[in-house]
Amino acid sequence: ETGVTQSPTHLIKTRGQQVTLRCSSQSGHNTVSWYQQALGQGPQFIFQYYREEENGRGNFPPRFSGLQFPNYSSELNVNALELDDSALYLCASSSDSHAYGYTFGSGTRLTVV
Amino acid sequence: LAKTTQPISMDSYEGQEVNITCSHNNIATNDYITWYQQFPSQGPRFIIQGYKTKVTNEVASLFIPADRKSSTLSLPRVSLSDTAVYYCLVGDMDNTDKLIFGTGTRLQVFP
């Protein structure tokens, strides 16, 4: 079975621009969560999608938005990028059983200049 | 969601057993305890999960006392490749299953 894949792996954007990050969930998983991890910190929960519906949101502004598609892949969109948005963005997928926790991708390293 | 407290860092040597304790005084009845491992520039990797007593897999053991207010991740005979950050999380996996990470424990293994 394939794991969670994220694209791109690295990205450099200018302040004020918009960015879209993509995530393919692990086969058989219907839930996708997005996390932001600043250097030296633990991952911070952005939001979760379950069967194409948002299923919980962390303390992030509305310029962070997402989508989940019928094949359970997902996108994270960030508008009006700020310098503090520079971070590792992680996608995690899970199934209804949660028997083996969440499976994380390797992340997208976003740098805003 | 229950908050967790872990040591910021720990040092060990190859071949030793490492025990990382996590405090979760406000754990709820439906909460499970899960540990993740993270290497630099990679996503966290699931290690082990438990509800009570002891759980063991091929990687680690998880000890949970009867009051469930703490848990201990035990890594037998660590190697250099076990150098990583270890996160303890608690949550209701059937309801509010959005993982809340703390700052984790940075384990450094020396030769």
Side-chain angles (χ1 to χ4, degrees), chain B residues 65-108:
Chain B
D67 66 5
R68 301 198 332 120
K69 293 184 183 298
S70 66
S71 60
T72 299
L73 174 72
S74 181
L75 304 173
R77 299 184 60 78
V78 294
S79 64
L80 295 177
S81 63
D82 292 318
T83 294
V85 179
Y86 292 82
Y87 294 98
C88 163
L89 299 93
V90 297
D92 177 353
M93 303 307 285
D94 294 323
N95 194 7
T96 54
D97 55 348
K98 290 82 176 175
L99 303 181
I100 307 297
F101 287 83
T103 53
T105 297
R106 189 171 301 274
L107 173 65
Q108 178 70 53

Side-chain angles (χ1 to χ4, degrees), chain B residues 15-78:
Chain B
Q16 290 189 331
E17 177 185 76
V18 171
N19 296 308
I20 305 175
T21 297
C22 177
S23 172
H24 28 80
N25 291 319
N26 297 321
I27 190 169
T29 303
N30 293 333
D31 285 347
Y32 279 75
I33 300 157
T34 311
W35 285 80
Y36 284 79
Q37 174 193 57
Q38 186 178 27
F39 299 112
S41 296
Q42 292 187 28
R45 183 176 74 100
F46 173 86
I47 300 175
I48 198 165
Q49 181 178 92
Y51 184 80
K52 62 180 178 180
T53 63
K54 176 184 174 182
V55 180
T56 297
N57 61 22
E58 65 278 5
V59 176
S61 294
L62 178 60
F63 298 91
I64 306 169
D67 66 5
R68 301 198 332 120
K69 293 184 183 298
S70 66
S71 60
T72 299
L73 174 72
S74 181
L75 304 173
R77 299 184 60 78
V78 294

